[in-house]
Structures are given as C-alpha cells and as structure tokens.
Amino acid sequence: MSCLCLSPLSPQLGIAAGFLVPPVLIPNVEDVEKLAYHISIMFFMTAGVASALFILVIIVFKEKPPNPPSRAQASIQSRPTAEYSYVQSILRLLRNGNFLLLMVTYGKLPHLCECICVSPQGEEVNAGRIGLTIVLSGMVGALISGIWLDKTKTYKQTTLVVYIMSLVGMIVYTFTLSLGHLWVVFVTAGLLGFFMTGYLPLGFEFAAELTYPESEGTSSGLLNVSAQIFGIAFTIGQGQIMDRFGTKAGNLLLCSVLFLGTVMTAFIKSDLRRQQANLENEQTVSKPPLNFCCAPAISSGQHSTSLLSRKGGGLWGSSLLAFSNCM
C-alpha cells in the first residue's frame, strides 16, 4: 500500500496564512512611513516563524523512515548508493514522455490559485478571505484525493477528472465574479480550490508511478520547478492582460490554460511502474520454495533403502542415500 501524500499541504497552509494575515496587518493608508512600519512588523513575524521551523527541521526531521513504506521502496533502498547518479536520473526523467506531459500539466494547475483575481478592487479584506477559502477547501480536496488514490490506484482517471472539474469550476467562477453576490463568489471559489489544490497529491503520486525506480525526491523537485516557472509566467502575463483588458480577460486566460492542460492529461499513459513492481515482489515472496526432499513416491526410510540396494553404489547410490536422508 502506497503512502498518502500529505507534504503538499504544508505550503498550502502557508499560502492560506498569506491570504489572511497581510490584509489584516497592513492597512490601506496613504502615509508611506506608517505603511512601512506595518510591513516591517509582518516581515519580522515571518522571519520568526521561519527561524522556528528551521530549528524544528534540524531537531526533528530524519533522513528516512526506519522501515520502507512499500516493497518497491525496499527494492530501491537495497541498491548500492554508488550506482545512483542525480544527473543521470534527471536525464532519464526528461526522456520519459509521460512524465514530461505530467510536468507541464502539474505546473499549470495547482498554482493557478495564486493567480486568480479573487474579488473586485477595494475589497482587500474579502480578497484575503476568499483566497483563504480557496486554499482551505483545497486542503480538504487534497486529503480526499490522497485517500481515494490509496484505495483505488486509479491515478490517470482521477487526475483527468480533477482537471476537468477544475476547468468547469474556473469557468463558473469567471462568469459569477462580476454578479456582485459575495456569497456566490465564496461558494464557487471553494469548489474551485477543492479541485485545483486537490491535484497536488495526485501529481506527486502519479509522478512516482510513472518514474519508478527513480527517486521520488527527484521527480517531485522537477514538478516544483515546473510549477514555479509557470507560476512566474502566469503572474506576469495575467497581470498585463488584466491591466489592459480587465479581470474577466485575465481569468479567461486561466480557463484556456486549464483546457489545454486537460487535453494534455488525456494523452498521459497510465504506466504504473511502482504498482507493477509491488505486485511482482509480492508474487515472488508468495511463491513456496521448492523442496526436493518431499517426493510422495518415497514415504519411508525402508523404501528408500530398498531402492539403494537395488541400484547399487556409486554416484547413483550416493544421490539416493542423500535423498533418503531428507525423509
């Protein structure tokens, strides 16, 4: 049974705090000195939290669990360390067509939540609350999708369904944002975040399946690199579009990106290498060892002795004698 991927939830919790805390700590004032004072308080708080987390990582974190979480991981850990090359691993991953498609689709989806225009201008506090709703509902979606994967192992099907629902949610959100009903925005934002952020564990787990026996840390790192690259591109591009054509045009850009990602996800083959390795290891362990000393035709020492006496000595006799000793 594979591990439930919960590590992506930690950054999302930080993003949720980022949506909620800055609008509260930093008022919308014209006084530059007062504004700088509030910003410095927020930065000092961030530095304190980061320092505390750094100390906890040094004290608490271990390199790996005492026991491998699966037979596939046990097989990987049994390989000599000298055989592993980080550069060669990256090159092999970049030659994996299914993983490349996943890299692109992963980079597009989860971090779009950070680029969505969440409320009209002048609603800074509500913008933070809507962003918090997106992230918190996404954390629930990530937990549910991880549990679902652990039980069903339907990686590609679940990934495709989540992508399609994210596209539908983004379209609904885009055309309900301008209605003026704040509760509608909260509901649609929550549904959108549920599927978008819920894609995070799906991407990591699907990548581990497609790239086995490569290190999961390497594949996860490449997924994060892709997400950061697309995040920068979307932030800059959508900002330019919103400045020139408005909020709806910027969100429509994200809809088109999600549509392209859905099509690309459909072309990813469900090559579940890790599951296949687990299955093969279980079959190998479950096979009973051959026992040549348990032939039913020879059931007593007397019978084996009579055979030995008829066949005589020499190599044949020695073999039968050894065989009879097993009875």
Side-chain angles (χ1 to χ4, degrees):
M1 183 172 61
S2 62
C3 294
L4 181 64
C5 185
L6 298 178
S7 59
L9 298 185
S10 298
Q12 296 307 307
L13 186 60
I15 294 173
F19 273 117
L20 182 63
V21 175
V24 175
L25 293 181
I26 304 175
N28 187 7
V29 295
E30 298 293 336
D31 190 345
V32 177
E33 293 185 0
K34 188 175 181 180
L35 187 64
Y37 170 75
H38 287 284
I39 292 177
S40 66
I41 292 178
M42 186 183 68
F43 283 168
F44 280 122
M45 292 175 58
T46 304
V49 172
S51 300
L53 293 176
F54 175 71
I55 295 173
L56 286 175
V57 168
I58 295 176
I59 297 174
V60 178
F61 275 39
K62 297 181 180 179
E63 182 180 358
K64 58 184 179 182
N67 298 313
S70 65
R71 297 185 186 276
Q73 281 297 311
S75 177
I76 292 176
Q77 293 180 13
S78 64
R79 293 184 303 178
T81 307
E83 294 182 1
Y84 177 76
S85 171
Y86 182 72
V87 175
Q88 292 299 321
S89 178
I90 292 178
L91 293 177
R92 285 192 295 268
L93 291 177
L94 294 179
R95 290 194 294 266
N96 187 329
N98 292 321
F99 178 68
L100 288 178
L101 286 174
L102 183 63
M103 274 185 62
V104 176
T105 57
Y106 179 90
K108 291 178 180 180
L109 183 54
H111 297 273
L112 287 183
C113 291
E114 303 169 23
C115 304
I116 296 172
C117 178
V118 293
S119 69
Q121 292 182 354
E123 294 285 347
E124 289 83 4
V125 176
N126 282 327
R129 292 171 180 171
I130 295 171
L132 178 65
T133 303
I134 291 175
V135 176
L136 292 181
S137 62
M139 294 174 67
V140 176
L143 282 172
I144 294 176
S145 62
I147 295 172
W148 173 259
L149 275 189
D150 196 53
K151 292 183 177 298
T152 65
K153 305 298 187 293
T154 54
Y155 291 87
K156 180 183 178 176
Q157 297 89 329
T158 305
T159 301
L160 185 58
V161 168
V162 169
Y163 230 109
I164 293 173
M165 295 305 297
S166 297
L167 172 60
V168 173
M170 188 67 211
I171 293 173
V172 173
Y173 180 84
T174 299
F175 290 98
T176 57
L177 183 63
S178 58
L179 294 179
H181 302 294
L182 196 59
W183 68 270
V184 176
V185 177
F186 271 98
V187 172
T188 55
L191 293 175
L192 179 61
F194 180 86
F195 291 105
M196 269 194 177
T197 310
Y199 182 80
L200 283 168
L202 296 178
F204 283 122
E205 289 293 302
F206 200 12
E209 292 290 339
L210 296 175
T211 61
Y212 181 85
E214 302 298 336
S215 171
E216 295 177 5
T218 306
S219 61
S220 300
L222 290 177
L223 291 182
N224 282 325
V225 169
S226 173
Q228 298 306 317
I229 292 174
F230 278 104
I232 293 172
F234 290 151
T235 301
I236 297 175
Q238 191 194 22
Q240 294 294 326
I241 291 177
M242 289 175 59
D243 290 341
R244 296 183 181 183
F245 305 104
T247 299
K248 181 175 288 187
N251 285 336
L252 285 174
L253 169 66
L254 302 185
C255 292
S256 62
V257 169
L258 287 175
F259 174 76
L260 180 60
T262 303
V263 174
M264 296 179 69
T265 301
F267 283 98
I268 301 177
K269 295 181 180 179
S270 185
D271 183 15
L272 306 182
R273 301 180 181 182
R274 186 175 61 177
Q275 295 299 321
Q276 183 63 29
N278 281 329
L279 181 61
E280 292 174 355
N281 287 332
E282 289 176 1
Q283 291 175 348
T284 301
V285 172
S286 63
K287 287 182 179 179
L290 296 176
N291 189 351
F292 295 102
C293 300
C294 301
I298 300 176
S299 58
S300 66
Q302 182 180 359
H303 185 59
S304 62
T305 306
S306 63
L307 282 174
L308 179 59
S309 63
R310 287 201 300 269
K311 293 299 180 179
L315 180 60
W316 176 256
S318 301
S319 301
L320 285 177
L321 181 60
F323 187 84
S324 64
N325 289 334
C326 296
M327 303 302 295

